Amino acid sequence: MPERRTVALVTLGCARNEVDSEELAGRLAADGWELVEEAAEADVAVVNTCGFVEAAKKDSVDALLEANDLKDHGRTQAVVAVGCMAERYGKELAEALPEADGVLGFDDYTDISGRLQTILSGGNVEAHAPRDRRKLLPISPAERQGSDVALPGHGDAMASAPEDLPEGVAPASGPRAPLRRRLGNNPVASVKLASGCDRRCSFCAIPSFRGSFISRRPSDVLGETRWLAEQGVKEIMLVSENNTSYGKDLGDIRLLETLLPELAAVDGIERIRVSYLQPAEMRPGLIDVLTGTDKVAPYFDLSFQHSAPGVLRAMRRFGDTERFLDLLAQIRTKAPQAGARSNFIVGFPGETEEDFAELERFISEARLDAIGVFGYSDEDGTEAAGYENKLDPDVVAERLAHLSRLAEELTAQRAEERLGETLTVMVDRVDDEDGVVGRAAHQAPETDGVTLLTGGRDLVPGRMVEAKVVATEGVDLVAEPLPLGAEHGAGCPEEAAR
């Protein structure tokens, strides 16, 4: 009988990392590893790191150190770093953090089982050597399909995969589908639509370690969605660095418009959500599909970043306050209840008081449901890190605090505008402390607040409930379920709980 090997995956960062962790879990389970939830109960703790901004990198280091402490008084024998921070810094991270027994990059994912076994056995796996992943794919998007570059979440040739996979592990579809195993039983799951980014925003390092943009085949996205539906998933969130570019390397920049109705038709799926949309790439046809397709949430996660033209040009982005407001008006003309969220950077090099006032004007008029505000900081290897006219850190902190307070007030006001609305709410969880917690179409997981459902009717995760908004708590809503005859969706509680 094979020796028992246990592994725990600790995931930090965005939904894209969560997908990558489930791919790693699928590969490990297929090779006989036993997955456990707690790092203290695992022989190997794998920390899927985030390398986006300083705060996220600090959280990743803290998670690695916390896992390392378990080696002194728990079962854990090895701690391994994977993910964006490991890919971005590789050997540098290994030298700075000797507590990590391994630092693995994306190229190691296809043989993650072998790498972990070597480390667990006391062997040495050379730390990942970082490289600019944009240079690994052809410049022309049309020539990128079929490349053998490692793309987490896209899959690879499955010739070496076991024919008899463990229960709950499956190649989602086709010969290039990734092995995937769900970590948890949440009724919502993310699906990768693409990887990488061809935009060259001056503040962002992501393309250098995630690579150039490359789409997944629609058949693989559909197949993975069908498999997730079989696992009980009710809501799919499409993720990538830039969903509005989907299909450009497949010869059809409007491919998302045709794919969304097909995904919405998958049996068992009740809601499709699209994240990470670039305002400069929005088009009327995409707005029509997002606002007019049954089961597709009218949800617009728009990456504005700023609204002052001068700052946007320095960021190597496009647009201005009026164009952005016009885009939101177009959306709300099609779907008045549509949700909209965005993130903004304050204190960018050269940002004047007038620029800041223009940004303040935009968010005051935009009626966004959720707003993230970040103070600018230099990121290694970015163009903006070499800019002059850097603002004093105290000025950046002051502007960050001011805009954060304003954003909190404005999003609370936007929530109050929804009083009296009837919303379709998906139940996320039911517990003794918070009661029935769900999300309406304008609320993505983790980022946009929740809807608290009142009443004593039995509800279970995955259930779709028609409810009327009766109160607000900051950005959160309180809603009263309508009579049973007004509901639609997940069917009986037993079916929804499967």
Side-chain angles (χ1 to χ4, degrees), residues 41 60 68 144 184 188 208 267 273 463 497:
E41 300 171 1
S60 295
N68 181 70
R144 293 174 188 166
V188 60
S208 66
D267 188 34
R273 185 184 304 278
R463 181 91 175 184

Side-chain angles (χ1 to χ4, degrees), residues 321-342:
T321 296
E322 299 308 325
R323 274 185 269 189
F324 292 163
L325 290 175
D326 181 63
L327 173 60
L328 290 168
Q330 292 177 49
I331 291 167
R332 288 170 177 143
T333 297
K334 301 280 186 180
Q337 288 187 335
R341 78 168 322 277
S342 192

Side-chain angles (χ1 to χ4, degrees), residues 10 120 213 235 344 347 413 441 456 490:
V10 179
L120 184 60
F213 184 88
E235 178 178 331
F344 300 92
Q413 291 173 17

Side-chain angles (χ1 to χ4, degrees), residues 29 31 40 96 157 163 246-247 259 261 263 294 314 319 322 324 330 368 427 429 440 442:
D31 202 41
E163 294 183 6
Y246 179 68
L259 177 61
L263 292 171
D294 186 39
E322 299 308 325
F324 292 163
Q330 292 177 49
L368 299 172
V427 177
R429 69 179 193 277
H442 70 280

Side-chain angles (χ1 to χ4, degrees), residues 140-184:
S140 169
E143 298 176 2
R144 293 174 188 166
Q145 291 292 326
S147 168
D148 59 358
V149 173
L151 298 167
H154 285 232
D156 54 21
M158 298 302 297
S160 60
E163 294 183 6
D164 185 19
L165 293 171
E167 183 178 353
V169 179
S173 74
R176 282 184 58 85
L179 288 171
R180 181 169 181 174
R181 175 164 178 167
R182 297 218 65 208
L183 297 172

Side-chain angles (χ1 to χ4, degrees), residues 271 421-441 443 449-473 476-483 487:
R271 180 182 286 160
E421 287 187 358
T422 297
L423 305 174
T424 302
V425 180
M426 171 174 285
V427 177
D428 270 348
R429 69 179 193 277
V430 181
D431 57 47
D432 294 335
E433 182 177 352
D434 298 320
V436 181
V437 182
R439 291 175 297 100
Q443 296 170 320
V450 298
T451 297
L452 305 172
L453 291 170
T454 64
R457 180 148 34 91
D458 289 337
L459 295 170
V460 295
R463 181 91 175 184
M464 303 294 283
V465 181
E466 294 291 313
K468 182 178 180 180
V469 181
V470 296
T472 65
E473 297 179 2
D476 296 334
L477 305 178
V478 179
E480 185 176 288
L482 297 179
E487 288 187 22

